[in-house]
C-alpha cells in the first residue's frame, strides 16, 4: 500500500497491459474500466489513455454524450 498523500505512478505500459491481458482482445474498454483494473482514479486512466492515443495504436470513439470507449485495433492483414 502506498503512503497517504503519494500517488502510485502508472506507466503507459501498465495501461497497455490492461488491454492485452483480457480474454477478448477486441473488446473496447471505458476509462473507468481501465482505472478499476489498474487501481487508480478515472482521471489518471483518462490522462494515460489520451497520451497513448497520441503516441500508439490505442484509439477511441465517442459513444454517447460524454462517453468514450478505447481499444487497440486488431489487424487482419
Amino acid at each position: 500500500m502506498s503512503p497517504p498523500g503519494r500517488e502510485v505512478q502508472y506507466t503507459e505500459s501498465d495501461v497497455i497491459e490492461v488491454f492485452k491481458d483480457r480474454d477478448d482482445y477486441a473488446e473496447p474498454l471505458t476509462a473507468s474500466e481501465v482505472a478499476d483494473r489498474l487501481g487508480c482514479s478515472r482521471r489518471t486512466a483518462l490522462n494515460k489513455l489520451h497520451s497513448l492515443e497520441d503516441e500508439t495504436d490505442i484509439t477511441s470513439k465517442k459513444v454517447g454524450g460524454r462517453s468514450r470507449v478505447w481499444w487497440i485495433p486488431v489487424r487482419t492483414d
Side-chain angles (χ1 to χ4, degrees):
M1 181 181 227
S2 64
R6 295 203 61 182
E7 283 202 31
V8 175
Q9 296 294 315
Y10 296 96
T11 66
E12 292 175 351
S13 295
D14 294 330
V15 177
I16 291 170
E17 281 304 309
V18 169
F19 285 91
K20 291 183 175 180
D21 190 30
R22 302 178 298 147
D23 292 334
D24 183 355
Y25 185 75
E27 177 189 8
L29 297 173
T30 65
S32 295
E33 290 171 322
V34 172
D36 288 346
R37 293 180 188 186
L38 286 176
C40 67
S41 71
R42 181 183 173 281
R43 173 51 53 194
T44 296
L46 193 55
N47 289 342
K48 291 294 181 186
L49 288 164
H50 280 294
S51 176
L52 284 166
E53 187 173 30
D54 292 339
E55 300 169 10
T56 67
D57 286 343
I58 288 182
T59 191
S60 69
K61 178 181 180 180
K62 195 169 185 178
V63 293
R66 295 184 342 169
S67 299
R68 184 171 288 276
V69 293
W70 307 81
W71 71 94
I72 297 175
V74 176
R75 307 283 183 225
T76 59
D77 46 277

